[in-house]
Amino acid sequence: MHGFSYDPIHDEIVVNSPLTQAILTFRGSVNGEEAPIRVIQGPKTQILGMGYAALSTVTADPAHNEIFLPIGSGGYRGAGTGGPEGVLVFDRMGNGDVAPKRMLAGPDTQIRNSTPQVAVDPIHNLLVVKSNGLLIFDRTAEGNTKPLRIIRGPKTGGFGGGQITVYAEKGLILTNSMDGWAVWSINDDGDVAPRWRIPVKQITGGGQNSGIAVIPKHKEIMIASALQNRVLTFYFPELFD
Amino acid sequence: MHKKWPSVGKATVGVALVTVVFCLTRIERPSARRPAGYPQLVSIQDLRMSPDWCPPAAPAVPEDSNLFSAFGNSSVYAGSPQSGETGIITRPPIRTIRDKDPIYSAVAVDTRFDEVILMDNNMWGLRVFNRLDNTEPDAPFTDPKRIISGPETDIQFNNGLYIDPHNGDIYSVETDTGDKVVVFPRDAKGNIKPARILATPHRGFALAVDEDKQELFVGVQYPPEVAVYRKEASGNEKPLRSLQGESTRLSDVHGIAIDPKNKLLYAANWGHVSDYRIAGTGRFEDPSISAYPLNAEGDAAPLRVIQGPKTQMNWPAQMTIDPDTGDLYVANDMGHSVLVFKGTDQGNVAPRRVIKGNRTGLANPSGVFVDSKNKELWVSNFGNSSAEVFPLNADGNVAPLRTIRSAPLNKVSLKFGKVEALAYDEGRDQVWVPN
């Protein structure tokens, strides 16, 4: 599981199950072995599998009652799914074999990745897709739509393969970089350097820092470091002030 | 034209700076700040240009007057597209969640040298103990004889273990990023390169060897497969054969076992099924154990399947066979138990024996090994930094004969398994860490 989502409005957690082509929703207070309250699964969902990669994250947009599921080719190691690379959007209350509300995919989207990652900014109505850069779309984009902006190029310092999140209150995108974590504005466009960078590898000696959570209450960010099996908390007041 | 500073002025500024640094160390920290174990600039105050001046012991500086607030909304560090600069945050983390003790995903015994090898899935290594080691309840832990660990070893996210009964070679399969089996000589220790590396499919989770035919079996989680190699294979050598396909009923494979006497292969399946190329093929099934001829290949159907609620299976992990009795031992992770079936069992059947209960010390067991020479059953626990040994005929809520513990008694392991993502629940002020 490379990403899942907490929905603070409805107190639910949303998890994808790549091996069964499903999206599961649990109560936010879930503990132990408890059945999901909703399962999206079946042929109408158009959810392909993960193959050797892909389909490893999911993101809820509780403000608009939607669930975003990035889909990739899965061709990371070996044969891919042969399916599209893009984003499926489901109704949050969808249950059973339901079709997606919309699908964002096609050559103009520039989503070309075996394992794309997404984040939603419900305040500024944006969808950010990490796929060879940061592709910024209108939140409701569908079909073969061009991104509004693209953050890509040598000045970015490159992107790692892990989680991506948006701190919508400040309009900031947080994603892992080649050496740790980096922050861009949702208004950035083109080959631009990040606003901030946390070179986690340099600071802690660890690598593959792939997960992130923003903790406004404490002006902190938490970073999951897969290769060290640890979670680091950084005091990061600049992000919130 | 710039006015040159007189030397007295330079000295005054110099002394003032030293004084500022000294005085800053005496400023009480704002209560909102956390001890970080390193120097921090906490405030900006007007500085009187007198070397004798030093602020009195002041009340805590309120948070809204700290350095960052003093610079207003645009941080002191913030870069911008206009400047082309990036603010570099170099302060160390203020907290770290990490289990500093091993978590044992697999176990095997070298009966020739009376050694037990435990696979540490937390810090990624292999720990070797004497077979008869026993950590007394009041002892904090037992030291291993040898540890194989470090970047040179190429051990990462390791789950499957095999010990060559003839020469003691140690085989370890890696489940996520490495896609390989690494092999070490019996007496290896420290941060050393493997003697041999074999590239395997992504998500290898279990190992077994047919010593008669000198074949290495690699159980692959997903897409589910059992790949069979020459035992001495290395590099990018291709498998001799592969068992995979819908008819096999393999699903999310987490354990394999070989019965050389009856020429059988067993696979433990978690029941997560799909053909990743076809939408709508995903489904949840009950976990199962499927049995095949040892030479099965392609999309071969199993000879029989153990599956259903009576089996008590819940995340069945590593398995091992007692060659003398045909008993099939299953580490039943989420059931906190070891289930014992007959290799000939089929369908929705109850286990012949179940080792489970508060006396057993089992906590998320994921590794099992039958030591048929000493008539002992070894179990490694993912949940409490320990491995236990039971009599081979153990049944019910029984205490182990011995325990090798690598953390204080009753410690519950963090059970992180390559943490890749986080989610914050602000209402509860809790963070989710999926594994």
Side-chain angles (χ1 to χ4, degrees):
Chain A
M1 192 184 298
H2 293 174
F4 78 165
S5 194
Y6 176 72
D7 169 352
I9 295 177
H10 308 94
D11 192 23
E12 293 176 346
I13 63 171
V14 183
V15 181
N16 65 323
S17 175
L19 273 55
T20 60
Q21 303 170 329
I23 299 170
L24 316 176
T25 301
F26 296 88
R27 295 185 310 118
S29 58
V30 65
N31 192 16
E33 288 190 78
E34 185 175 313
I37 54 178
R38 293 185 297 280
V39 177
I40 296 173
Q41 186 183 43
K44 291 179 186 169
T45 67
Q46 302 183 38
I47 303 173
L48 289 164
M50 65 188 301
Y52 289 82
L55 203 63
S56 57
T57 72
V58 68
T59 300
D61 176 5
H64 300 94
N65 279 309
E66 291 183 333
I67 295 171
F68 289 72
L69 181 73
I71 51 174
S73 65
Y76 172 47
R77 292 182 172 105
T81 63
E85 297 166 319
V87 182
L88 296 174
V89 184
F90 294 90
D91 187 288
R92 183 184 69 83
M93 293 302 292
N95 196 14
D97 186 12
V98 295
K101 290 174 68 176
R102 58 184 183 274
M103 180 181 190
L104 176 66
D108 289 350
T109 67
Q110 300 196 38
I111 302 173
R112 298 186 199 99
N113 198 311
S114 62
T115 53
Q117 305 266 342
V118 300
V120 178
D121 179 345
I123 295 176
H124 305 92
N125 269 318
L126 295 172
L127 168 67
V128 184
V129 181
K130 183 162 68 172
S131 174
N132 188 24
L134 298 176
L135 313 177
I136 302 171
F137 297 90
D138 185 277
R139 181 184 60 79
T140 60
E142 64 180 314
N144 185 21
T145 302
K146 289 181 180 177
L148 301 171
R149 294 180 289 283
I150 299 174
I151 302 172
R152 179 189 293 158
K155 289 180 184 171
T156 66
F159 300 91
Q163 207 174 358
I164 177 174
T165 193
V166 169
Y167 179 40
E169 285 75 3
K170 294 288 182 182
L172 296 171
I173 306 166
L174 291 86
T175 181
N176 65 341
S177 56
M178 300 310 287
D179 64 349
W181 284 85
V183 183
W184 279 269
S185 163
I186 55 169
N187 298 311
D188 286 341
D189 192 9
D191 184 13
V192 293
R195 305 297 177 108
W196 291 282
R197 207 162 54 78
I198 304 181
V200 180
K201 289 182 183 176
Q202 177 187 321
I203 296 169
T204 67
Q208 196 176 350
N209 302 285
S210 45
I212 190 161
V214 177
I215 322 286
K217 189 173 184 177
H218 305 297
K219 299 188 175 183
E220 296 169 347
I221 63 168
M222 298 182 89
I223 290 173
S225 187
L227 290 184
Q228 282 76 36
N229 264 337
R230 67 186 178 186
V231 175
L232 307 169
T233 302
F234 288 88
Y235 185 54
F236 196 172
E238 299 91 332
L239 198 67
F240 306 92
D241 291 333
Chain B
M1 182 180 175
H2 293 289
K3 182 181 178 181
K4 289 185 178 179
W5 288 11
S7 58
V8 175
K10 287 181 182 176
T12 303
V13 171
V15 171
L17 284 172
V18 170
T19 306
V20 166
V21 171
F22 171 71
C23 292
L24 278 175
T25 64
R26 300 185 57 183
I27 294 175
E28 187 178 346
R29 292 182 173 201
S31 58
R33 294 186 69 82
R34 298 157 181 76
Y38 58 92
Q40 296 179 86
L41 182 57
V42 297
S43 173
I44 291 180
Q45 303 286 331
D46 291 333
L47 173 64
R48 296 182 187 178
M49 296 303 283
S50 162
D52 298 324
W53 182 85
C54 185
V61 180
E63 190 177 32
D64 61 4
S65 69
N66 70 16
L67 173 65
F68 308 114
S69 297
F71 277 85
N73 285 333
S74 71
S75 163
V76 61
Y77 294 117
S80 71
Q82 289 73 33
S83 69
E85 294 175 353
T86 297
I88 310 295
I89 309 295
T90 56
R91 66 179 75 98
I94 57 173
R95 293 190 302 279
T96 300
I97 305 172
R98 185 180 198 187
D99 194 337
K100 294 182 177 176
D101 296 315
I103 290 175
Y104 293 129
S105 56
V107 57
V109 179
D110 184 339
T111 54
R112 286 197 320 148
F113 289 89
D114 264 350
E115 290 181 337
V116 176
I117 296 87
L118 297 178
M119 175 168 271
D120 174 11
N121 183 270
N122 184 38
M123 294 174 288
W124 297 352
L126 296 157
R127 294 182 169 220
V128 183
F129 298 82
N130 285 316
R131 186 180 67 84
L132 295 175
D133 279 348
N134 186 28
T135 314
E136 297 296 336
D138 57 349
F141 55 83
T142 294
D143 276 321
K145 295 169 72 174
R146 300 186 297 280
I147 298 177
I148 305 170
S149 183
E152 292 292 324
T153 66
D154 240 328
I155 297 174
Q156 47 183 307
F157 200 31
N158 42 335
N159 284 291
L161 175 66
Y162 179 75
I163 305 300
D164 188 315
H166 306 296
N167 62 20
D169 278 359
I170 303 169
Y171 292 65
S172 165
V173 67
E174 192 275 337
T175 299
D176 192 8
T177 49
D179 300 344
K180 67 188 73 159
V181 169
V182 290
V183 184
F184 299 92
R186 186 197 73 82
D187 56 355
K189 64 178 180 179
N191 182 20
I192 60 160
K193 290 182 182 299
R196 189 152 45 92
I197 296 176
L198 170 65
T200 59
H202 196 36
R203 304 189 190 100
F205 222 101
L207 290 176
V209 170
D210 178 354
E211 290 290 345
D212 294 339
K213 295 186 73 174
Q214 291 289 288
E215 291 179 343
L216 172 68
F217 290 64
V218 180
V220 179
Q221 183 193 8
Y222 190 88
E225 175 186 5
V226 178
V228 185
Y229 298 84
R230 285 192 317 114
K231 184 186 170 192
E232 298 299 321
S234 64
N236 292 314
E237 189 169 323
K238 298 298 177 195
L240 301 168
R241 62 185 182 278
S242 171
L243 179 66
Q244 59 178 322
E246 179 75 14
S247 301
T248 66
R249 298 181 63 181
L250 293 170
S251 67
D252 202 353
V253 175
H254 277 71
I256 57 173
I258 283 175
D259 178 354
K261 189 173 167 184
N262 297 298
K263 305 295 180 195
L264 292 170
L265 164 71
Y266 296 91
N269 310 292
W270 279 16
H272 301 140
V273 184
S274 64
D275 180 337
Y276 63 90
R277 294 156 296 197
I278 305 173
T281 54
R283 63 186 186 274
F284 296 92
E285 290 186 351
D286 284 341
S288 66
I289 295 169
S290 43
Y292 310 86
L294 203 47
N295 60 357
E297 64 180 314
D299 190 16
L303 299 170
R304 54 187 174 273
V305 176
I306 303 170
Q307 186 177 34
K310 290 181 184 173
T311 67
Q312 300 186 31
M313 280 190 277
N314 193 349
W315 285 15
Q318 308 289 350
M319 299 188 295
T320 182
I321 285 268
D322 179 349
D324 298 326
T325 64
D327 284 350
L328 177 64
Y329 294 79
V330 185
N332 194 35
D333 187 330
M334 287 300 289
H336 305 291
S337 60
V338 173
L339 310 176
V340 187
F341 297 93
K342 280 291 178 191
T344 51
D345 282 342
Q346 184 171 5
N348 183 16
V349 295
R352 307 297 178 110
R353 287 180 281 138
V354 178
I355 305 171
K356 180 177 182 173
N358 59 343
R359 299 184 67 202
T360 65
L362 297 178
N364 297 107
S366 57
V368 282
F369 182 87
V370 166
D371 174 358
S372 52
K373 176 182 173 185
N374 298 292
K375 302 299 177 192
E376 291 180 337
L377 171 70
W378 282 86
V379 187
S380 65
N381 291 295
F382 208 82
N384 63 9
S385 298
S386 75
E388 285 141 344
V389 58
F390 297 88
L392 207 44
N393 61 355
D395 191 9
N397 187 10
V398 294
L401 298 170
R402 302 181 302 281
T403 297
I404 294 175
R405 191 160 34 76
S406 297
L409 189 65
N410 298 325
K411 183 200 166 173
V412 177
S413 298
L414 203 49
K415 292 180 273 191
F416 276 179
K418 198 168 184 288
V419 291
E420 294 260 3
L422 297 167
Y424 178 60
D425 174 351
E426 184 160 13
R428 296 180 179 84
D429 201 19
Q430 296 174 344
V431 66
W432 287 89
V433 185
N435 289 274

